[in-house]
């Protein structure tokens, strides 16, 4: 059972299905409203726990009804509350998720209490981080906090995974503490300072990021699978042929499975294959938490396809 330490965010997702993207200034009618737990850090922690890892989650909540829901969720999912901070007077993070008929989405977030997670919170967990097999983090928390977690983990040679989402400029010194960087293509473009409509191929994006100092990369490509870039070698792992229902959280599910598989000693390629299956499982279901698989779910998915 790998020990995985997640430093990350919690957001409540307010989701509706919409027929298309609205035009600027338009009010568009959607349906199927759902309110449920989300946030990249929290999703990745729950995903890893469902796949059998021993998970610690360092996260900041507000002191509102959304925080109470999060605490109930962690109790249900077997994630200890010891490192779940509740900040008096703060609002918990909120995400507005719009889902298109294709299952694709766009998300806007107010990060609220997530922005109050500090490097000191991380330093207070040094012993637990050093005792972990893997440290995972994302960027719905202050960059300096994610950077502190990566630094601390590397002091003890704990394997680090940074899912750079939402993407922003990252200093080379911070990238040097990342063992595996897992952007999607649009995040890779932002990290490289390229315009959103840049037409570079995934392989070119990967080469660019390796040039910035990333050691190993897994670029997630949605319906195209994922690209592994390590040194000179590039390996494309195809996606499962699925009809996506809701891709929200599919990247989190991917990162969780990647970490669990690596933590169990599998190779990077085998772990990415496992992660692609986990992402597909999540994209086949509406909502994030219902779509996060157990190991048995992934075995069944393999048999069905
Ligand atoms: O990665 C998906 C997550 O990003 C959603 O759960 C949403 O809350 C946003 O944080």
């Amino acid at each position: 059972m790998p020990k995985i330490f997640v430093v990350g965010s919690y957001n409540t997702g307010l989701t509706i299905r919409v027929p298309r993207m609205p035009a600027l200034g338009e009010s568009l009618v959607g349906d199927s409203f759902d309110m449920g737990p989300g946030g990249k850090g929290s999703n990745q922690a729950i995903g890893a726990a469902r796949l059998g890892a021993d998970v610690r989650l360092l996260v900041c909540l507000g002191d509102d009804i959304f925080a109470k829901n999060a605490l109930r969720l962690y109790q249900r999912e077997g994630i200890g509350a010891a490192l779940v901070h509740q900040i008096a007077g703060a609002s918990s993070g909120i995400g507005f998720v719009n889902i298109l008929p294709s299952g694709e989405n766009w998300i806007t977030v107010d990060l609220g209490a997530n922005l109050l997670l500090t490097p000191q919170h991380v330093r207070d967990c040094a012993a637990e981080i050093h005792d972990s097999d893997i440290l995972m983090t994302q960027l719905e928390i202050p960059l300096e906090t994610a950077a502190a977690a990566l630094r601390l983990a590397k002091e003890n040679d704990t394997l680090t995974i940074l899912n750079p989402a939402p993407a922003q400029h990252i200093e080379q010194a911070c990238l040097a503490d990342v063992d595996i960087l897992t952007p999607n293509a649009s995040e890779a473009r932002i990290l490289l300072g390229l315009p959103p409509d840049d037409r570079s191929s995934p392989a070119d994006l990967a080469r660019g990021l390796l040039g910035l100092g990333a050691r190993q990369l897994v670029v997630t490509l949605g319906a195209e699978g994922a690209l592994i870039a390590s040194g000179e070698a590039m390996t494309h792992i195809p996606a499962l042929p699925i009809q996506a229902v809701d891709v929200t959280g599919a990247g989190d599910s991917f990162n969780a499975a990647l970490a669990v598989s690596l933590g169990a000693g599998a190779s990077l390629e085998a772990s990415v294959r496992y992660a692609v299956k986990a992402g597909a499982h999540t994209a086949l279901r509406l909502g994030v938490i219902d779509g996060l698989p157990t190991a048995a779910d992934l075995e069944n998915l393999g048999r069905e396809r």
Side-chain angles (χ1 to χ4, degrees):
M1 196 196 256
K3 287 186 183 169
I4 298 183
F5 197 102
V6 183
V7 179
S9 55
Y10 176 81
N11 296 321
T12 299
L14 304 177
T15 302
I16 58 171
R17 298 187 72 95
V18 288
R20 57 176 170 77
M21 288 182 87
L24 196 63
E26 179 185 14
S27 296
L28 181 65
V29 175
D31 57 42
S32 311
F33 171 73
D34 176 62
M35 182 175 95
K40 295 178 195 302
S42 180
N43 294 343
Q44 291 178 22
I46 293 169
R50 286 221 181 140
L51 290 170
D54 176 4
V55 177
R56 305 271 179 285
L57 171 64
L58 175 64
V59 69
C60 265
L61 308 172
D63 65 357
D64 44 23
I65 176 76
F66 303 117
K68 290 198 178 81
N69 292 342
L71 290 171
R72 269 197 293 271
L73 172 75
Y74 297 146
Q75 199 172 20
R76 229 174 30 235
E77 298 290 337
I79 292 182
L83 307 176
V84 178
H85 296 277
Q86 274 198 271
I87 311 287
S91 303
S92 299
I94 292 287
F96 292 108
V97 184
N98 293 278
I99 304 173
L100 292 167
S102 63
E104 294 163 298
N105 64 19
W106 74 97
I107 302 177
T108 50
V109 283
D110 175 346
L111 292 170
N114 295 304
L115 294 177
L116 303 175
L117 191 65
T118 65
Q120 189 56 48
H121 285 121
V122 170
R123 286 192 285 272
D124 291 344
C125 307
E128 283 112 319
I129 292 177
H130 287 166
D131 185 43
S132 302
D133 299 304
I134 297 196
L135 178 286
M136 310 173 71
T137 190
Q138 322 75 27
L139 300 180
E140 286 185 327
I141 56 174
L143 180 58
E144 56 172 2
T145 305
L150 294 163
R151 183 81 288 275
L152 203 69
K154 283 327 292 172
E155 276 172 18
N156 205 43
D157 224 14
T158 296
L159 187 89
T160 56
I161 301 177
L162 172 63
N163 176 218
Q168 55 180 284
H169 172 73
I170 303 175
E171 295 294 335
Q172 273 194 342
C174 176
L175 280 179
D177 287 329
V178 179
D179 289 310
I180 304 177
L181 187 70
T182 61
N184 62 24
S186 91
E187 288 152 3
R189 281 189 283 272
I190 295 170
L191 292 173
L192 288 166
L194 297 170
D197 58 349
D198 177 84
R199 305 283 286 270
S200 302
S201 68
D204 285 341
L205 294 173
R207 271 188 282 274
L209 288 171
L210 291 172
L212 281 188
R215 220 166 290 145
Q216 297 192 99
L217 279 171
V218 179
V219 184
T220 55
L221 302 170
E224 303 300 320
L227 181 73
I228 305 171
S230 179
E232 293 292 294
M234 301 247 178
T235 311
H236 177 247
I237 307 295
L240 265 57
I242 60 157
Q243 197 69 53
V245 174
D246 173 9
V247 302
T248 315
D252 299 328
S253 186
F254 181 101
N255 276 274
L258 179 72
V260 173
S261 177
L262 287 169
S267 69
L268 182 56
E269 183 174 330
S271 299
V272 172
R273 287 187 195 281
Y274 191 60
V276 161
K277 271 169 83 174
H281 184 279
T282 304
L284 282 168
R285 283 153 189 84
L286 198 57
V288 180
I289 300 300
D290 285 351
L292 294 172
T294 61
D297 289 332
L298 292 187
E299 266 173 47
N300 291 336
L301 186 66
R303 266 188 229 118
E304 286 157 19
R305 284 163 201 271

